[in-house]
């Protein structure tokens, strides 16, 4: 069983592509992902499970690292919530995206870092402890910053309720990560045993979420302009490049520079698609950027991890 979960973790990018192909050919396969069970959205439960598994790998020391490495944390978090949202806004404006795709792209930019960044950082030879701390801190403060920044960027163009978005992120993100953190605090040996299984489990769940979103929006994706794919790729590359520049200009070492670059490029795209679905239901294509970004970041990230480790 341990080998199976390890294989899922190692071949994550292949599995996600396979699931996406299946969802496009047979959308009904993952239709259940967007259904409800006793009035609760399945996708919310799946995303909360991913965040919970992340919480079980955290310790309070990850938050104490804010004081041990203030420069790296400050640069990483500032870049996360300044560079990525502004980059999304600039790209949406430059390519004159419609309202739905603009919302989706902005949400990709305003959500916290994705959990996959920790795995890619490890594979790339970066600073894993810093990556975990950046992901944890950006996730914990996301209930406030994600709605506020989204409101600042598109609030005058597209109506939505930032308070409801705040509540959603509390339910989907903050509560599960806190429960996971507490479980690790109370039962560290138990959580330590789970480490062999949870990365693979969370990877599989993310693949299922992406496949469900893409399958449900098959027509929207096929009929949407190919420009959004170009924009998504540019957003990823620009985020990573700006992460490198931010790390270099602030005098970080090689490992920390790699970590900040990866952390900036990897977004919690599952959360962005979920927020788009919940808070912008009239804009069907708002979920498309997050779904596409999830596929691209995992495919490109795996390649970049190899390149960083070998040549940088």
């Amino acid at each position: 069983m341990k080998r199976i979960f390890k294989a899922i973790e190692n071949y994550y990018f292949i599995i996600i592509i396979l699931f996406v192909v299946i969802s496009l050919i047979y959308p009904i396969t993952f239709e259940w992902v967007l259904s409800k069970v006793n009035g609760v959205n399945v996708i919310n439960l799946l995303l909360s499970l991913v965040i919970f598994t992340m919480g079980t790998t955290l310790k309070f020391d990850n938050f104490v690292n804010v004081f041990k490495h203030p420069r790296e944390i400050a640069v990483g978090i500032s870049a996360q919530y300044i560079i990525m949202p502004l980059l999304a806004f600039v790209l949406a404006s430059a390519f004159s995206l419609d309202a739905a795709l603009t919302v989706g792209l902005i949400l990709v930019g305003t959500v916290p870092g994705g959990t996959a960044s920790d795995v890619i950082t490890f594979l790339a030879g970066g600073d894993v402890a810093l990556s975990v701390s950046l992901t944890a801190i950006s996730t914990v403060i996301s209930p406030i910053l994600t709605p506020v920044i989204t409101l600042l960027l598109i609030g005058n163009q597209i109506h939505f309720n930032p308070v409801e978005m705040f509540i959603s992120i509390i339910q989907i993100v903050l509560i599960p990560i806190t429960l996971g953190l507490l479980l690790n605090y109370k039962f560290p040996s138990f959580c330590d045993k789970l480490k062999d299984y949870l990365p693979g489990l969370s990877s599989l769940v993310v693949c299922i979420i992406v496949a469900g979103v893409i399958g449900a929006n098959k027509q929207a994706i096929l009929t949407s302009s190919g420009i959004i794919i170009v924009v998504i790729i540019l957003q990823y590359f620009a985020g990573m490049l700006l992460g490198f520049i931010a790390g270099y200009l602030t005098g970080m070492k090689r490992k920390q520079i790699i970590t900040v670059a990866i952390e900036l490029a990897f977004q919690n795209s599952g959360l962005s698609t979920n927020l788009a679905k919940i808070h912008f239901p009239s804009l069907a294509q708002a979920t498309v950027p997050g779904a596409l970004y999830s596929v691209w970041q995992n495919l490109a990230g795996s390649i970049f991890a190899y390149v960083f480790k070998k040549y940088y």
Side-chain angles (χ1 to χ4, degrees), residues 165-186:
M165 185 179 288
F166 167 80
I167 294 171
S168 292
I169 301 175
I170 289 287
Q171 294 171 338
I172 298 170
V173 175
L174 199 56
I175 293 176
I177 199 173
T178 301
L179 290 175
L181 184 65
L182 290 174
L183 183 67
N184 194 12
Y185 176 73
K186 289 288 187 181

Side-chain angles (χ1 to χ4, degrees), residues 139-282:
T139 301
V140 168
I141 62 178
S142 64
I144 295 175
L145 291 185
T146 295
V148 169
I149 297 173
T150 302
L151 180 64
L152 290 173
L153 293 177
I154 61 173
N156 62 335
Q157 305 170 37
I158 302 164
H159 176 72
F160 78 101
N161 191 324
V163 175
E164 289 183 359
M165 185 179 288
F166 167 80
I167 294 171
S168 292
I169 301 175
I170 289 287
Q171 294 171 338
I172 298 170
V173 175
L174 199 56
I175 293 176
I177 199 173
T178 301
L179 290 175
L181 184 65
L182 290 174
L183 183 67
N184 194 12
Y185 176 73
K186 289 288 187 181
F187 307 100
S189 58
F190 173 70
C191 288
D192 197 52
K193 292 177 182 178
L194 293 178
K195 286 182 180 178
D196 291 324
Y197 305 94
L198 293 184
L201 175 62
S202 61
S203 297
L204 182 61
V205 173
V206 169
C207 291
I208 291 171
I209 291 173
V210 171
V213 171
I214 286 183
N217 294 280
K218 175 182 176 180
Q219 282 306 119
I221 291 171
L222 296 179
T223 58
S224 65
S225 170
I227 287 294
I228 187 58
I229 297 176
V230 175
V231 172
I232 288 297
I233 293 173
L234 284 175
Q235 186 180 25
Y236 179 87
F237 277 119
M240 187 163 286
L241 177 61
L242 292 171
F244 267 107
I245 293 173
Y248 178 77
L249 292 179
T250 52
M252 292 185 194
K253 296 179 180 179
R254 171 191 168 278
K255 280 194 170 188
Q256 286 70 45
I257 292 175
I258 289 176
T259 303
V260 170
I262 292 173
E263 195 68 28
L264 210 60
F266 272 77
Q267 298 293 89
N268 192 332
S269 50
L271 178 60
S272 72
T273 57
N274 204 29
L275 292 177
K277 179 179 180 296
I278 294 172
H279 299 285
F280 302 92
S282 62

